[in-house]
Amino acid sequence: MKNETMTSRERWLAVLQRKKPDRVPMDYWATSEATDKLCKHLGCDYDEALRRLHIDIPLPVGGHYCGPKPPEGEDIWGLRHCGINYGTGVYYEVANAPLGAYTSIAEIEANYRWPTPDCWDYSHIPARVKGREERCIRGGGSEPFLLYCMLRGLEQAFEDLALNPEIVDYCLGKLFDIAYEDTRRIYETIPGRVTFSYVAEDLGSQQSLLMSKAHIKRYLFPHMKRIIDLAHSAGVYVFHHDDGAIRDIIPDLIELGIDILNPIQWRLPGMDREGLKRDFGSKVIFHGAVDNQTTLPFGSVADVRREVAENLQILGAGGGYILGPCHNIQAVSPPENVVAMYEAGYELGWT
Protein backbone atom coordinates (compact mmCIF):
# COMPACT_ATOMS: atom_id res chain seq x y z
CA MET A 1 0.00 0.00 0.00
CA LYS A 2 1.28 3.44 -0.89
CA ASN A 3 1.75 6.09 1.75
CA GLU A 4 -1.18 8.51 1.90
CA THR A 5 -0.16 11.93 3.14
CA MET A 6 -3.58 13.64 2.99
CA THR A 7 -6.99 13.15 4.54
CA SER A 8 -10.00 12.84 2.25
CA ARG A 9 -10.91 16.46 2.94
CA GLU A 10 -7.39 17.67 2.17
CA ARG A 11 -7.40 15.60 -1.01
CA TRP A 12 -10.68 17.14 -2.26
CA LEU A 13 -9.52 20.65 -1.33
CA ALA A 14 -6.23 20.19 -3.14
CA VAL A 15 -8.08 19.38 -6.36
CA LEU A 16 -10.58 22.20 -5.86
CA GLN A 17 -7.76 24.68 -5.23
CA ARG A 18 -5.77 23.49 -8.25
CA LYS A 19 -3.04 22.11 -6.05
CA LYS A 20 -1.43 18.68 -6.24
CA PRO A 21 -3.08 15.95 -4.09
CA ASP A 22 -1.24 12.83 -3.03
CA ARG A 23 -3.64 10.92 -5.29
CA VAL A 24 -6.87 11.54 -7.18
CA PRO A 25 -9.87 11.60 -4.80
CA MET A 26 -12.55 8.97 -5.43
CA ASP A 27 -16.27 9.35 -4.73
CA TYR A 28 -19.06 6.76 -4.48
CA TRP A 29 -22.64 6.97 -5.77
CA ALA A 30 -24.84 3.86 -5.83
CA THR A 31 -28.32 2.51 -5.20
CA SER A 32 -28.89 0.62 -1.96
CA GLU A 33 -29.15 -2.66 -3.87
CA ALA A 34 -25.79 -2.09 -5.56
CA THR A 35 -24.19 -1.21 -2.23
CA ASP A 36 -25.62 -4.36 -0.62
CA LYS A 37 -24.18 -6.46 -3.44
CA LEU A 38 -20.79 -4.79 -3.08
CA CYS A 39 -20.69 -5.33 0.69
CA LYS A 40 -21.71 -8.96 0.32
CA HIS A 41 -19.01 -9.45 -2.31
CA LEU A 42 -16.37 -7.92 -0.04
CA GLY A 43 -17.72 -9.64 3.08
CA CYS A 44 -17.90 -6.45 5.13
CA ASP A 45 -20.14 -3.54 6.07
CA TYR A 46 -20.45 -0.25 4.21
CA ASP A 47 -17.88 1.73 6.21
CA GLU A 48 -15.31 -1.03 5.84
CA ALA A 49 -15.99 -1.22 2.09
CA LEU A 50 -15.27 2.49 1.78
CA ARG A 51 -12.05 2.05 3.73
CA ARG A 52 -10.85 -0.95 1.73
CA LEU A 53 -11.53 0.75 -1.58
CA HIS A 54 -9.93 4.06 -0.46
CA ILE A 55 -13.08 6.04 -1.23
CA ASP A 56 -13.14 9.70 -0.21
CA ILE A 57 -16.88 10.01 0.26
CA PRO A 58 -18.15 13.35 1.60
CA LEU A 59 -20.25 13.58 4.75
CA PRO A 60 -23.74 14.94 3.98
CA VAL A 61 -25.45 17.28 6.42
CA GLY A 62 -28.89 18.82 6.40
CA GLY A 63 -31.84 19.90 8.49
CA HIS A 64 -34.30 17.54 10.16
CA TYR A 65 -37.94 18.19 9.36
CA CYS A 66 -39.82 19.29 12.47
CA GLY A 67 -42.89 20.95 10.96
CA PRO A 68 -46.54 19.84 10.89
CA LYS A 69 -47.00 16.14 10.34
CA PRO A 70 -48.16 15.48 6.77
CA PRO A 71 -51.25 13.38 6.05
CA GLU A 72 -50.81 9.60 6.15
CA GLY A 73 -49.04 8.36 3.03
CA GLU A 74 -47.73 11.76 1.96
CA ASP A 75 -44.41 13.50 2.39
CA ILE A 76 -43.92 17.09 3.47
CA TRP A 77 -44.65 18.32 -0.08
CA GLY A 78 -47.90 16.37 -0.37
CA LEU A 79 -46.31 13.78 -2.64
CA ARG A 80 -47.25 10.09 -2.49
CA HIS A 81 -44.65 7.54 -3.53
CA CYS A 82 -44.94 3.91 -4.55
CA GLY A 83 -42.16 1.39 -4.96
CA ILE A 84 -41.66 0.19 -8.55
CA ASN A 85 -39.47 -2.87 -9.04
CA TYR A 86 -37.46 -2.58 -12.25
CA GLY A 87 -35.96 -6.03 -11.95
CA THR A 88 -32.62 -5.03 -10.47
CA GLY A 89 -33.83 -2.46 -7.98
CA VAL A 90 -36.80 -0.63 -6.51
CA TYR A 91 -37.36 3.08 -7.15
CA TYR A 92 -39.97 5.05 -5.23
CA GLU A 93 -41.79 6.93 -7.96
CA VAL A 94 -44.22 9.80 -7.43
CA ALA A 95 -47.82 8.63 -7.73
CA ASN A 96 -49.61 11.99 -7.66
CA ALA A 97 -49.17 15.65 -8.60
CA PRO A 98 -50.46 17.86 -5.77
CA LEU A 99 -50.37 21.03 -7.88
CA GLY A 100 -51.27 19.43 -11.20
CA ALA A 101 -54.92 20.45 -11.35
CA TYR A 102 -54.49 24.14 -10.58
CA THR A 103 -54.64 26.73 -13.35
CA SER A 104 -53.69 29.87 -11.47
CA ILE A 105 -51.54 31.14 -8.63
CA ALA A 106 -54.70 32.06 -6.74
CA GLU A 107 -55.85 28.42 -6.79
CA ILE A 108 -52.48 27.21 -5.53
CA GLU A 109 -52.44 29.76 -2.73
CA ALA A 110 -55.97 28.83 -1.71
CA ASN A 111 -55.40 25.07 -1.67
CA TYR A 112 -51.73 24.28 -1.06
CA ARG A 113 -49.62 24.82 2.05
CA TRP A 114 -45.93 25.41 1.39
CA PRO A 115 -43.41 24.36 4.04
CA THR A 116 -41.53 27.25 5.62
CA PRO A 117 -37.83 27.40 6.52
CA ASP A 118 -38.78 27.05 10.18
CA CYS A 119 -40.03 23.52 9.43
CA TRP A 120 -36.44 22.29 9.67
CA ASP A 121 -34.14 22.03 12.69
CA TYR A 122 -30.35 22.26 12.37
CA SER A 123 -29.20 21.90 15.96
CA HIS A 124 -27.96 18.32 15.44
CA ILE A 125 -25.45 19.23 12.71
CA PRO A 126 -22.50 20.29 14.92
CA ALA A 127 -22.57 16.90 16.66
CA ARG A 128 -22.70 15.14 13.28
CA VAL A 129 -19.49 16.75 12.05
CA LYS A 130 -17.62 16.68 15.37
CA GLY A 131 -14.59 14.41 15.22
CA ARG A 132 -14.89 14.00 11.46
CA GLU A 133 -12.45 16.66 10.42
CA GLU A 134 -10.90 14.25 7.91
CA ARG A 135 -14.10 14.26 5.81
CA CYS A 136 -15.22 16.96 3.43
CA ILE A 137 -18.75 18.17 4.17
CA ARG A 138 -21.60 18.46 1.67
CA GLY A 139 -24.52 20.64 2.73
CA GLY A 140 -27.05 23.02 1.24
CA GLY A 141 -27.88 23.74 -2.36
CA SER A 142 -30.91 23.33 -4.59
CA GLU A 143 -32.68 21.27 -7.26
CA PRO A 144 -36.12 22.90 -7.46
CA PHE A 145 -37.15 22.11 -11.03
CA LEU A 146 -37.01 18.39 -10.22
CA LEU A 147 -39.41 19.01 -7.33
CA TYR A 148 -41.56 21.27 -9.51
CA CYS A 149 -41.95 18.42 -12.02
CA MET A 150 -43.14 16.16 -9.21
CA LEU A 151 -45.58 18.73 -7.85
CA ARG A 152 -47.10 19.61 -11.24
CA GLY A 153 -46.59 16.31 -13.05
CA LEU A 154 -43.82 15.91 -15.63
CA GLU A 155 -45.83 16.72 -18.75
CA GLN A 156 -47.62 19.68 -17.17
CA ALA A 157 -44.36 21.06 -15.79
CA PHE A 158 -42.80 21.27 -19.24
CA GLU A 159 -45.97 22.68 -20.79
CA ASP A 160 -45.94 25.36 -18.11
CA LEU A 161 -42.65 26.74 -19.42
CA ALA A 162 -44.48 27.92 -22.54
CA LEU A 163 -48.09 28.21 -21.41
CA ASN A 164 -48.03 29.18 -17.72
CA PRO A 165 -44.90 31.23 -17.02
CA GLU A 166 -46.53 32.96 -14.05
CA ILE A 167 -47.10 29.61 -12.31
CA VAL A 168 -43.50 28.55 -13.00
CA ASP A 169 -42.16 31.83 -11.61
CA TYR A 170 -44.36 31.61 -8.52
CA CYS A 171 -43.58 27.98 -7.67
CA LEU A 172 -39.87 28.11 -8.46
CA GLY A 173 -39.65 31.31 -6.45
CA LYS A 174 -41.11 29.51 -3.45
CA LEU A 175 -38.85 26.46 -3.88
CA PHE A 176 -35.65 28.45 -4.43
CA ASP A 177 -36.43 30.68 -1.44
CA ILE A 178 -36.75 27.60 0.78
CA ALA A 179 -33.51 26.16 -0.63
CA TYR A 180 -31.67 29.46 -0.13
CA GLU A 181 -32.71 29.77 3.50
CA ASP A 182 -31.97 26.10 4.15
CA THR A 183 -28.47 26.59 2.74
CA ARG A 184 -27.89 29.78 4.72
CA ARG A 185 -28.91 28.13 7.99
CA ILE A 186 -26.60 25.16 7.40
CA TYR A 187 -23.67 27.52 6.84
CA GLU A 188 -24.66 29.50 9.93
CA THR A 189 -24.84 26.34 12.06
CA ILE A 190 -21.35 25.09 11.19
CA PRO A 191 -19.48 28.17 9.93
CA GLY A 192 -16.48 27.37 7.79
CA ARG A 193 -17.08 23.61 7.78
CA VAL A 194 -19.10 23.02 4.59
CA THR A 195 -16.84 22.11 1.66
CA PHE A 196 -19.39 22.17 -1.15
CA SER A 197 -23.09 22.62 -1.86
CA TYR A 198 -25.06 20.63 -4.43
CA VAL A 199 -26.66 23.10 -6.87
CA ALA A 200 -28.23 20.79 -9.43
CA GLU A 201 -30.78 20.41 -12.21
CA ASP A 202 -31.13 17.60 -14.75
CA LEU A 203 -31.27 19.60 -17.97
CA GLY A 204 -29.99 17.08 -20.51
CA SER A 205 -31.36 14.04 -22.31
CA GLN A 206 -29.34 11.34 -24.05
CA GLN A 207 -29.19 13.55 -27.15
CA SER A 208 -29.54 17.21 -26.22
CA LEU A 209 -31.08 19.66 -23.74
CA LEU A 210 -34.50 18.87 -22.26
CA MET A 211 -35.65 22.46 -22.76
CA SER A 212 -34.46 25.45 -24.74
CA LYS A 213 -31.53 27.53 -23.57
CA ALA A 214 -33.91 30.48 -23.48
CA HIS A 215 -36.14 28.71 -20.96
CA ILE A 216 -33.16 27.61 -18.87
CA LYS A 217 -31.85 31.18 -18.73
CA ARG A 218 -35.33 32.58 -18.09
CA TYR A 219 -36.47 30.30 -15.28
CA LEU A 220 -33.43 28.71 -13.63
CA PHE A 221 -30.19 30.60 -14.01
CA PRO A 222 -31.11 33.74 -12.01
CA HIS A 223 -32.22 31.63 -9.03
CA MET A 224 -29.20 29.33 -9.30
CA LYS A 225 -26.89 32.35 -9.43
CA ARG A 226 -28.33 33.59 -6.14
CA ILE A 227 -27.53 30.31 -4.36
CA ILE A 228 -24.10 30.04 -6.02
CA ASP A 229 -23.26 33.54 -4.80
CA LEU A 230 -24.42 32.61 -1.29
CA ALA A 231 -22.11 29.57 -1.33
CA HIS A 232 -19.12 31.52 -2.54
CA SER A 233 -19.73 34.27 0.03
CA ALA A 234 -19.39 31.58 2.71
CA GLY A 235 -16.22 30.12 1.17
CA VAL A 236 -18.13 27.07 -0.11
CA TYR A 237 -17.56 25.40 -3.49
CA VAL A 238 -20.48 24.66 -5.83
CA PHE A 239 -21.01 21.11 -7.07
CA HIS A 240 -23.27 21.09 -10.15
CA HIS A 241 -24.94 17.81 -11.10
CA ASP A 242 -26.53 17.84 -14.56
CA ASP A 243 -27.30 14.62 -16.41
CA GLY A 244 -27.15 14.15 -20.15
CA ALA A 245 -25.85 15.98 -23.20
CA ILE A 246 -25.47 19.49 -21.78
CA ARG A 247 -22.48 20.75 -23.80
CA ASP A 248 -24.41 23.79 -25.03
CA ILE A 249 -24.86 25.27 -21.55
CA ILE A 250 -21.55 24.39 -19.92
CA PRO A 251 -20.08 27.85 -20.71
CA ASP A 252 -23.16 29.45 -19.13
CA LEU A 253 -22.87 27.25 -16.02
CA ILE A 254 -19.23 28.21 -15.63
CA GLU A 255 -20.17 31.88 -15.99
CA LEU A 256 -22.74 31.39 -13.21
CA GLY A 257 -19.90 30.22 -10.99
CA ILE A 258 -20.06 26.43 -10.69
CA ASP A 259 -16.83 24.87 -9.46
CA ILE A 260 -17.44 21.14 -10.03
CA LEU A 261 -19.26 19.56 -13.00
CA ASN A 262 -20.84 16.11 -12.64
CA PRO A 263 -21.51 13.43 -13.93
CA ILE A 264 -19.71 13.65 -17.33
CA GLN A 265 -21.63 11.15 -19.50
CA TRP A 266 -18.85 11.14 -22.04
CA ARG A 267 -20.50 8.77 -24.55
CA LEU A 268 -23.25 11.32 -25.30
CA PRO A 269 -23.16 13.89 -28.14
CA GLY A 270 -20.82 16.77 -27.40
CA MET A 271 -19.63 15.29 -24.11
CA ASP A 272 -16.39 13.69 -25.27
CA ARG A 273 -13.71 13.86 -22.62
CA GLU A 274 -11.01 15.35 -24.81
CA GLY A 275 -13.23 18.24 -25.88
CA LEU A 276 -14.47 18.97 -22.38
CA LYS A 277 -10.95 18.97 -20.97
CA ARG A 278 -9.64 21.13 -23.78
CA ASP A 279 -12.41 23.72 -23.59
CA PHE A 280 -13.23 23.79 -19.88
CA GLY A 281 -10.46 22.01 -17.99
CA SER A 282 -8.97 25.24 -16.68
CA LYS A 283 -12.35 26.56 -15.51
CA VAL A 284 -14.12 23.68 -13.79
CA ILE A 285 -13.33 20.48 -11.88
CA PHE A 286 -14.65 17.28 -13.46
CA HIS A 287 -16.36 14.69 -11.25
CA GLY A 288 -17.51 11.18 -12.18
CA ALA A 289 -17.09 9.98 -15.79
CA VAL A 290 -16.88 6.20 -15.23
CA ASP A 291 -19.75 5.10 -17.44
CA ASN A 292 -22.50 3.24 -15.58
CA GLN A 293 -24.75 2.75 -18.60
CA THR A 294 -22.31 0.59 -20.57
CA THR A 295 -18.92 -0.03 -18.97
CA LEU A 296 -19.80 -0.77 -15.34
CA PRO A 297 -22.88 -2.94 -15.98
CA PHE A 298 -21.85 -4.70 -19.19
CA GLY A 299 -18.08 -4.36 -19.54
CA SER A 300 -15.36 -6.66 -18.25
CA VAL A 301 -12.99 -5.92 -15.40
CA ALA A 302 -10.39 -5.10 -18.04
CA ASP A 303 -12.83 -2.65 -19.70
CA VAL A 304 -13.40 -0.88 -16.38
CA ARG A 305 -9.71 -0.60 -15.63
CA ARG A 306 -9.06 0.73 -19.14
CA GLU A 307 -11.73 3.41 -18.76
CA VAL A 308 -10.41 4.50 -15.38
CA ALA A 309 -6.94 4.82 -16.89
CA GLU A 310 -8.34 6.89 -19.78
CA ASN A 311 -10.23 9.20 -17.42
CA LEU A 312 -7.13 9.79 -15.33
CA GLN A 313 -5.07 10.44 -18.46
CA ILE A 314 -7.61 12.73 -20.16
CA LEU A 315 -9.70 14.43 -17.48
CA GLY A 316 -6.98 14.25 -14.84
CA ALA A 317 -4.19 15.69 -16.99
CA GLY A 318 -2.65 18.49 -14.94
CA GLY A 319 -5.22 17.97 -12.17
CA GLY A 320 -8.87 18.94 -11.91
CA TYR A 321 -10.52 15.51 -11.67
CA ILE A 322 -12.38 13.53 -8.99
CA LEU A 323 -13.00 9.92 -9.97
CA GLY A 324 -16.41 8.30 -9.59
CA PRO A 325 -19.29 6.72 -11.51
CA CYS A 326 -21.34 8.92 -13.84
CA HIS A 327 -24.38 8.68 -11.54
CA ASN A 328 -25.61 5.98 -9.16
CA ILE A 329 -24.16 2.53 -9.73
CA GLN A 330 -27.07 0.17 -10.38
CA ALA A 331 -27.46 -3.36 -9.05
CA VAL A 332 -27.02 -4.73 -12.57
CA SER A 333 -23.33 -3.79 -12.35
CA PRO A 334 -21.23 -6.75 -11.14
CA PRO A 335 -19.51 -5.93 -7.85
CA GLU A 336 -16.27 -7.16 -9.41
CA ASN A 337 -16.48 -4.19 -11.80
CA VAL A 338 -17.13 -1.76 -8.97
CA VAL A 339 -14.11 -3.05 -7.09
CA ALA A 340 -12.04 -2.84 -10.28
CA MET A 341 -12.98 0.84 -10.70
CA TYR A 342 -11.66 1.82 -7.28
CA GLU A 343 -8.67 -0.52 -7.30
CA ALA A 344 -7.58 0.91 -10.66
CA GLY A 345 -8.16 4.45 -9.42
CA TYR A 346 -6.04 3.78 -6.35
CA GLU A 347 -3.25 2.08 -8.30
CA LEU A 348 -3.08 4.63 -11.12
CA GLY A 349 -4.24 7.86 -9.49
CA TRP A 350 -1.10 8.89 -7.61
CA THR A 351 0.20 12.29 -8.64
Side-chain angles (χ1 to χ4, degrees):
M1 181 181 295
K2 298 183 180 181
N3 182 34
E4 295 187 350
T5 59
M6 291 182 168
T7 65
S8 287
R9 179 176 181 274
E10 290 169 339
R11 198 168 289 124
W12 273 74
L13 285 175
V15 174
L16 291 169
Q17 295 168 1
R18 300 286 177 172
K19 298 176 182 177
K20 188 175 180 180
D22 55 355
R23 62 169 174 82
V24 169
M26 300 189 293
D27 202 354
Y28 180 79
W29 292 31
T31 65
S32 58
E33 294 92 347
T35 297
D36 290 345
K37 285 181 66 175
L38 176 64
C39 291
K40 184 177 180 180
H41 173 74
L42 293 173
C44 63
D45 64 17
Y46 176 64
D47 289 337
E48 177 62 14
L50 295 178
R51 189 192 68 79
R52 287 192 198 178
L53 297 177
H54 308 282
I55 296 171
D56 304 288
I57 194 165
L59 179 71
V61 300
H64 285 166
Y65 182 77
C66 60
K69 185 177 180 181
E72 187 70 27
E74 296 183 359
D75 67 12
I76 60 176
W77 303 99
L79 298 168
R80 296 194 302 272
H81 300 262
C82 61
I84 305 295
N85 192 324
Y86 290 95
T88 57
V90 175
Y91 276 78
Y92 287 86
E93 308 287 8
V94 174
N96 68 328
L99 304 184
Y102 303 133
T103 59
S104 69
I105 295 172
E107 283 185 276
I108 297 173
E109 289 184 331
N111 294 281
Y112 184 75
R113 180 175 180 175
W114 296 94
T116 70
D118 290 337
C119 288
W120 283 268
D121 173 66
Y122 302 87
S123 60
H124 63 282
I125 296 179
R128 176 163 172 75
V129 303
K130 186 178 181 180
R132 293 173 170 175
E133 286 75 17
E134 81 285 356
R135 302 273 296 275
C136 66
I137 307 297
R138 172 176 66 84
S142 64
E143 196 172 10
F145 190 70
L146 172 64
L147 183 51
Y148 181 76
C149 288
M150 296 178 185
L151 291 170
R152 286 287 279 172
L154 188 62
E155 183 175 346
Q156 184 63 59
F158 278 91
E159 288 181 1
D160 286 343
L161 300 175
L163 302 178
N164 300 301
E166 72 287 348
I167 291 179
V168 182
D169 285 336
Y170 169 77
C171 292
L172 287 184
K174 290 282 190 181
L175 295 173
F176 270 106
D177 282 349
I178 292 170
Y180 183 95
E181 185 60 18
D182 172 74
T183 302
R184 190 192 67 78
R185 294 186 186 194
I186 291 172
Y187 297 164
E188 183 181 69
T189 303
I190 47 170
R193 294 297 305 278
V194 176
T195 310
F196 67 87
S197 292
Y198 184 88
V199 180
E201 288 298 349
D202 285 338
L203 300 174
S205 71
Q206 293 291 102
Q207 296 296 323
S208 61
L209 295 174
L210 286 170
M211 65 180 82
S212 71
K213 281 185 68 173
H215 281 143
I216 294 170
K217 291 182 176 182
R218 159 77 170 77
Y219 293 112
L220 295 173
F221 280 176
H223 293 293
M224 291 170 63
K225 174 65 171 167
R226 182 173 173 234
I227 293 185
I228 289 169
D229 288 347
L230 172 65
H232 289 163
S233 71
V236 175
Y237 293 94
V238 173
F239 184 112
H240 180 70
H241 166 80
D242 209 332
D243 287 335
I246 61 162
R247 176 64 171 77
D248 285 350
I249 59 168
I250 292 176
D252 303 286
L253 292 167
I254 292 172
E255 186 177 347
L256 285 180
I258 69 166
D259 300 295
I260 308 167
L261 181 64
N262 158 279
I264 317 300
Q265 291 180 265
W266 60 268
R267 295 183 188 272
L268 302 186
M271 297 297 290
D272 61 286
R273 293 166 292 185
E274 293 85 355
L276 293 180
K277 184 68 174 182
R278 179 191 65 239
D279 296 339
F280 310 117
S282 64
K283 303 171 184 177
V284 72
I285 302 300
F286 298 111
H287 177 288
V290 179
D291 178 36
N292 73 333
Q293 290 179 300
T294 302
T295 311
L296 283 175
F298 306 119
S300 66
V301 164
D303 292 331
V304 173
R305 292 182 62 87
R306 185 180 309 112
E307 184 166 318
V308 169
E310 290 172 354
N311 286 346
L312 292 170
Q313 180 182 3
I314 300 168
L315 295 173
Y321 177 53
I322 297 166
L323 188 145
C326 69
H327 216 294
N328 292 325
I329 301 166
Q330 304 292 308
V332 69
S333 295
E336 292 85 355
N337 282 1
V338 180
V339 171
M341 172 173 59
Y342 292 107
E343 287 185 344
Y346 188 71
E347 292 169 14
L348 304 174
W350 292 83
T351 59

